[in-house]
């Protein structure tokens, strides 16, 4: 037989549950009230400082000096909001207006805080700081971003390499090329995109990277060389057609479609006759080259290559030809 609980105990449970519910509701209401208050403060600050920030974007010549002086004279809360607003706007603005916004953010005191955050123990904060350094580009940003490109966190390294793409400097290119290594933890697409931002400035470093000891660096450089159509890279790409690593060979072949070289024909034919994915890639590359270079090579593929390679070379099946 189950003994019923004492009425006093049930009342205690009911009162405790009610108190817990009321406390949770009060905490929720307080949280919402604070959130609305913060949003309202941001709206007030935004109304007060946004005209000044917008004025900075269109300021010319010596006009920007007056704007910066007004920013420095603002109360702390407004000055910090100017820094945040300028930083957010930098994501979508380029040219002289962006340079003005960087100066405004510096005058608002944002740069020292960002630099300090690059030394935070929290990887997320360091990554955010790396992104901010790339946008703000203050003095010393390049050196600090190169350090962050070797950060223990691969997320921080990735953000730093992406930010380095905006710096037209040989040191930035060296760090980006180094991140092509497989053990860097930086996605190849990020490093490649950063190199593409450099354009011709990356050409010399990419050519050197085609001979790097690390096969992942050679592979990444081979991909970029073709997209950049880096001058004088064809000879080194031809050498990579015989690279020990298949992925490097294929990357070189893809780039040779954009940077064709007659010297590549013989090694491409040898690769085509090996068959498989490598052979198909070689046949596709030959097909992209001038017919006057490849006529004999295509004929040999027609006679000796496996069906998949022949298809890649746009040759009909032997049964259909018969």
């Amino acid at each position: 037989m189950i003994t019923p609980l004492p009425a006093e105990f049930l009342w205690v449970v009911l009162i405790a549950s009610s108190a817990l519910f009321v406390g949770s509701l009060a905490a929720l209401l307080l949280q919402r009230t604070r959130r609305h208050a913060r949003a309202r403060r941001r709206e007030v600050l935004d109304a007060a400082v946004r005209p000044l920030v917008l004025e900075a974007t269109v300021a010319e010549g010596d006009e920007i000096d007056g704007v910066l002086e007004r920013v420095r004279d603002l109360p702390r809360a407004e000055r910090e909001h100017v820094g945040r607003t300028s930083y957010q706007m930098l994501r979508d603005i380029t040219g002289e207006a962006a340079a003005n916004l960087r100066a405004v953010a510096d005058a608002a005191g944002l740069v020292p805080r960002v630099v300090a955050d690059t030394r935070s123990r929290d990887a997320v904060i360091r990554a955010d700081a790396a992104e901010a350094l790339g946008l703000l580009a203050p003095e010393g940003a390049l050196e600090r971003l190169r350090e962050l490109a070797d950060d223990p966190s691969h997320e921080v390294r990735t953000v730093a390499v992406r930010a380095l793409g905006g710096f037209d400097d040989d040191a930035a290119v060296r760090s980006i090329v180094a991140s092509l290594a497989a053990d860097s933890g930086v996605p190849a697409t990020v490093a490649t995109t950063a190199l593409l931002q450099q354009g011709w400035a990356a050409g010399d470093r990419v050519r050197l990277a085609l001979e790097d000891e690390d096969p992942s660096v050679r592979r990444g450089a081979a991909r970029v060389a073709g997209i950049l159509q880096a001058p004088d890279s064809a000879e080194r790409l031809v050498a990579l057609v015989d690279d020990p690593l298949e992925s490097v060979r294929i990357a070189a072949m893809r780039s040779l479609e954009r940077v064709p070289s007659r010297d590549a024909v013989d090694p491409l034919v040898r690769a085509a006759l090996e068959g498989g994915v490598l052979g198909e890639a070689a046949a596709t590359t030959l097909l992209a080259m001038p017919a006057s270079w490849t006529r004999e090579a295509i004929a040999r593929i027609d006679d000796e290559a496996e069906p998949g390679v022949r298809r890649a070379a746009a040759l009909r099946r032997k049964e259909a030809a018969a």
Side-chain angles (χ1 to χ4, degrees):
M1 183 175 179
I2 300 175
T3 304
L5 295 173
E8 294 82 358
F9 178 78
L10 293 175
W11 274 109
V12 169
V13 171
L14 179 60
I15 293 171
S17 299
S18 300
L20 181 61
F21 174 76
V22 171
S24 299
L25 183 60
L28 179 61
L29 290 173
L30 180 61
Q31 184 181 35
R32 292 186 62 182
T33 300
R34 287 177 175 174
R35 186 164 58 245
H36 286 307
R38 285 195 298 268
R40 178 57 186 160
R41 284 196 297 271
R42 284 195 298 268
E43 290 175 2
V44 171
L45 285 171
D46 203 50
V49 305
R50 182 167 288 273
L52 181 59
V53 177
L54 292 175
E55 182 181 343
T57 63
V58 296
E60 298 180 1
D62 295 338
E63 294 175 349
I64 188 62
D65 294 333
V67 174
L68 298 180
E69 193 61 36
R70 287 157 60 192
V71 169
R72 296 187 187 98
D73 290 340
L74 290 172
R76 178 178 176 180
E78 292 185 10
R79 193 169 62 248
E80 290 180 351
H81 194 72
V82 165
R84 289 191 296 269
T85 302
S86 301
Y87 174 65
Q88 292 297 326
M89 291 176 65
L90 271 170
R91 299 174 185 273
D92 303 309
I93 293 179
T94 58
E96 185 177 352
N100 288 351
L101 285 176
R102 293 187 183 100
V104 168
D106 191 17
L110 181 61
V111 170
R113 292 199 298 274
V114 168
V115 173
D117 283 347
T118 64
R119 294 176 172 81
S120 171
R121 293 184 179 181
D122 189 326
V124 174
I125 294 176
R126 294 199 304 277
D128 288 344
E131 181 183 13
L133 279 181
L135 287 172
L136 297 171
E139 184 178 355
L142 174 58
E143 292 75 14
R144 189 67 191 122
L145 282 171
R146 293 190 69 203
E147 293 177 19
L148 292 172
D150 290 323
D151 192 90
S153 165
H154 70 86
E155 289 90 352
V156 176
R157 294 196 297 273
T158 297
V159 176
V161 168
R162 184 184 294 117
L164 283 168
F167 289 78
D168 185 9
D169 189 283
D170 187 58
V173 177
R174 289 199 301 273
S175 293
I176 297 169
V177 168
S179 72
L180 290 168
D183 60 359
S184 74
V186 177
T189 53
V190 172
T192 300
T193 301
L195 281 174
L196 292 178
Q197 285 181 258
Q198 298 285 334
W200 291 102
D204 290 338
R205 283 291 163 188
V206 169
R207 285 195 298 275
L208 291 174
L210 291 171
E211 297 179 347
D212 197 275
E213 294 182 359
D214 189 320
S216 56
V217 173
R218 295 197 303 275
R219 181 179 62 242
R223 290 172 178 165
V224 176
I227 299 172
L228 288 177
Q229 296 186 337
D232 303 322
S233 62
E235 181 180 351
R236 297 181 184 184
L237 287 170
V238 170
L240 291 183
V241 173
D242 291 320
D243 192 89
L245 195 68
E246 182 177 282
S247 61
V248 176
R249 299 176 72 183
I250 292 176
M253 292 175 192
R254 298 302 186 211
S255 283
L256 282 167
E257 294 179 21
R258 292 172 172 263
V259 189
S261 170
R262 194 163 192 165
D263 293 336
V265 173
D266 287 343
L268 286 170
V269 170
R270 290 195 300 271
L273 296 180
E274 292 180 28
V277 174
L278 185 68
E280 293 174 11
T284 301
T285 303
L286 285 167
L287 191 63
M289 291 185 173
S292 59
W293 297 359
T294 62
R295 190 171 291 109
E296 293 181 5
I298 297 296
R300 187 175 175 189
I301 290 173
D302 195 15
D303 289 338
E304 303 177 34
E306 62 184 35
V309 175
R310 296 179 73 257
R311 285 194 299 272
L315 295 168
R316 291 183 298 169
R317 292 183 302 173
K318 290 185 180 297
E319 297 81 359

